[in-house]
Amino acid sequence: EISLGLVGSEMCIRDSFWIGNDGMNYSELDEGYYYYESLDSNFRFNAPTFSIEKNQNFSVEISIINPSDEDSLYYGLMIGEFSPQNYTVDFMINDLGQYKIETNINISSGNYNMEDNLEVRKLKVLKKEATTYFYINDILVYNYVLDSLNKFRCGPLTSSAIWMDYIKIEKEKNAL
């Protein structure tokens, strides 16, 4: 496997993720973390495009912190392409120990094991063959047969704000 990017330094984040304020979104780098905020309380995402073939195996892992004091607000990871022809897979959690996985429909929702005083949450999506596995803090919470994604984007998703420590994207090497 090869790594497409480990975003944990200012240089990688500057090269991959949008930074600025457009009236709906705000983002900045602060002490090595990527801060991303939805300014109008609607779900927003910042998801650059990465080169992954539609049937290729891949994994995406994100380490995020919810700076909001609203424990019931969901935040997480978006993968796929947001357009009328395609859909995204939204893998979201909140600080009450709940998760949900959605496309254009709710795929799964439930509770996850919240460790006491653990501020940082790690979400991982692993696609192997036709099955996609969803992990929270390295614990499998769901697996799902996912149709191939026509385009591939991934990044943080929130209706409030998040701090992102890193995002790691890996893909299987193409056979020669």
Side-chain angles (χ1 to χ4, degrees):
E1 296 190 341
I2 60 170
S3 177
L4 284 180
L6 177 58
V7 178
S9 69
E10 290 190 25
M11 178 178 250
C12 290
I13 292 174
R14 283 188 202 285
D15 293 344
S16 299
F17 288 86
W18 172 82
I19 295 175
N21 182 341
D22 67 1
M24 295 183 295
N25 306 279
Y26 172 78
S27 63
E28 69 175 344
L29 289 175
D30 186 15
E31 297 182 17
Y33 288 91
Y34 179 73
Y35 177 78
Y36 180 70
E37 181 178 0
S38 169
L39 297 176
D40 60 6
S41 298
N42 289 317
F43 270 101
R44 302 276 179 207
F45 61 89
N46 186 354
T49 301
F50 294 94
S51 175
I52 292 183
E53 301 298 322
K54 64 191 252 181
N55 292 315
Q56 198 168 23
N57 294 335
F58 66 85
S59 71
V60 177
E61 180 177 297
I62 188 170
S63 173
I64 51 180
I65 302 168
N66 178 17
S68 173
D69 54 359
E70 292 282 333
D71 289 343
S72 63
L73 292 177
Y74 280 90
Y75 58 98
L77 175 66
M78 187 228 46
I79 62 172
E81 176 66 26
F82 188 75
S83 72
Q85 298 81 22
N86 301 304
Y87 60 86
T88 63
V89 177
D90 302 334
F91 183 21
M92 298 175 286
I93 59 174
N94 66 23
D95 290 344
L96 296 176
Q98 301 166 322
Y99 77 90
K100 58 184 174 179
I101 304 166
E102 301 176 334
T103 58
N104 54 343
I105 59 169
N106 183 17
I107 296 172
S108 177
S109 59
N111 296 315
Y112 69 94
N113 184 16
M114 270 195 53
E115 298 176 34
D116 292 334
N117 300 320
L118 182 65
E119 290 182 2
V120 176
R121 307 277 187 254
K122 185 169 68 170
L123 302 179
K124 183 175 183 176
V125 176
L126 172 68
K127 181 185 171 288
K128 190 165 186 171
E129 305 305 326
T131 304
T132 303
Y133 302 89
F134 298 86
Y135 297 85
I136 301 172
N137 297 328
D138 297 319
I139 297 171
L140 179 67
V141 294
Y142 194 71
N143 64 58
Y144 175 70
V145 175
L146 177 67
D147 294 333
S148 61
L149 297 169
N150 291 327
K151 294 200 176 191
F152 188 84
R153 298 173 71 179
C154 65
L157 171 72
T158 185
S159 64
S160 60
I162 58 99
W163 293 95
M164 180 172 72
D165 183 27
Y166 69 83
I167 185 166
K168 181 179 178 182
I169 302 135
E170 296 179 320
K171 67 177 179 176
E172 185 175 73
K173 292 180 183 177
N174 290 334
L176 297 176

